[in-house]
Amino acid sequence: MNLDGCFFDLDGTLCDTAPDIVACWRQTLETRGLPWECFEAGFRIGPPLEPTIRGIYPDRAQEWIAELISEFRAMYLDCGFPKTRPYPGIPELLEELRKRGVRLFVATNKSRAPSLKILRENGLLDYFEEVLTPESSTGGNQTKAELLKSALQRHGLTPSSCAMIGDTPGDIQAGKAAGMQTVGVLWGYGDPAELKNLIPSLLLHNLKTQQF
């Protein structure tokens, strides 16, 4: 696969962020006296946070949901990310792609502050020209597909010569909507069956052996 640019999802693709996310959500719910079991059944890492939480608590007011998310985000940003690590082979893959002249980007639904902090603390930030987050757009309401389209145009990249790489159907759908090639990975938090239905050919092996 000859590519000019690669756009990587963060949670479940570049880094295993689940341990710290889950710990902070458990603490947030415990502070409010909310049961973990109900939350756990509906929570998924990767999709936009607001609709995910609204789906778990459909009877709660929007203000209540916004406050809960705000409390989690403050706790998460201050946690120090002690258990968050890049997946095995990721640094080597990024280094190899950079040596080959492939331009690298991150495209995530995660807030900007923790995204930059996680990438920096794990030695990955310098690989990327830009980190696309919801805050990258005015008002913070663009979809990932819209963020990708804007970035492709801004950086002068041809969509068909770039790939969106992620672990969830949302990542793949966003890449396709932006006219990009797509790569699904199975080491993250997405459903492998859903990914296989979206992509005829998946790159699923050890990252050290991947040929992008």
Side-chain angles (χ1 to χ4, degrees):
M1 186 183 290
N2 294 319
L3 297 169
D4 295 328
C6 286
F7 290 72
F8 287 87
D9 174 55
L10 178 52
D11 297 300
T13 301
L14 289 174
C15 294
D16 182 8
T17 56
D20 293 321
I21 290 174
V22 170
C24 288
W25 267 118
R26 290 188 76 114
Q27 190 172 348
T28 301
L29 298 179
E30 183 178 331
T31 300
R32 285 201 168 213
L34 297 169
W36 168 251
E37 291 74 19
C38 174
F39 182 90
E40 183 181 28
F43 183 64
R44 297 291 180 272
I45 297 173
L49 198 51
E50 193 276 337
T52 298
I53 303 306
R54 192 183 337 116
I56 298 173
Y57 301 109
D59 299 328
R60 296 285 190 167
Q62 188 62 35
E63 182 180 354
W64 186 93
I65 291 173
E67 289 175 353
L68 185 68
I69 292 174
S70 179
E71 291 169 13
F72 160 75
R73 283 177 169 162
M75 187 175 298
Y76 183 56
L77 185 60
D78 290 340
C79 79
F81 316 110
K83 296 182 180 180
T84 293
R85 299 288 185 275
Y87 285 101
I90 284 290
E92 293 85 350
L93 173 63
L94 296 176
E95 183 64 31
E96 175 61 25
L97 290 172
R98 183 166 66 176
K99 287 179 180 177
R100 288 165 48 185
V102 180
R103 300 171 68 181
L104 304 177
F105 304 85
V106 172
T108 178
N109 290 318
K110 199 180 199 71
S111 295
R112 186 166 188 81
S115 295
L116 294 177
K117 197 170 183 180
I118 286 170
L119 291 169
R120 185 180 298 111
E121 292 183 0
N122 284 281
L124 301 181
L125 185 59
D126 288 345
Y127 284 106
F128 301 103
E129 287 189 39
E130 186 177 4
V131 178
L132 305 173
T133 70
E135 297 93 327
S136 298
S137 65
T138 303
N141 57 1
Q142 281 191 318
T143 65
K144 183 175 281 192
E146 291 168 334
L147 289 174
L148 290 172
K149 290 177 184 178
S150 296
L152 289 165
Q153 184 175 27
R154 186 165 58 253
H155 291 280
L157 290 164
T158 302
S160 60
S161 297
C162 297
M164 176 65 212
I165 301 161
D167 66 308
T168 68
D171 296 320
I172 305 309
Q173 291 161 348
K176 287 179 178 291
M180 304 167 68
Q181 299 185 56
T182 54
V183 178
V185 302
L186 296 186
W187 51 83
Y189 313 134
D191 184 333
E194 291 181 349
L195 287 174
K196 289 176 182 177
N197 287 335
L198 287 169
I199 312 175
S201 178
L202 292 173
L203 299 182
L204 305 175
H205 308 295
N206 187 302
L207 277 170
K208 292 182 180 178
T209 68
Q210 296 299 2
Q211 298 297 317
F212 284 90

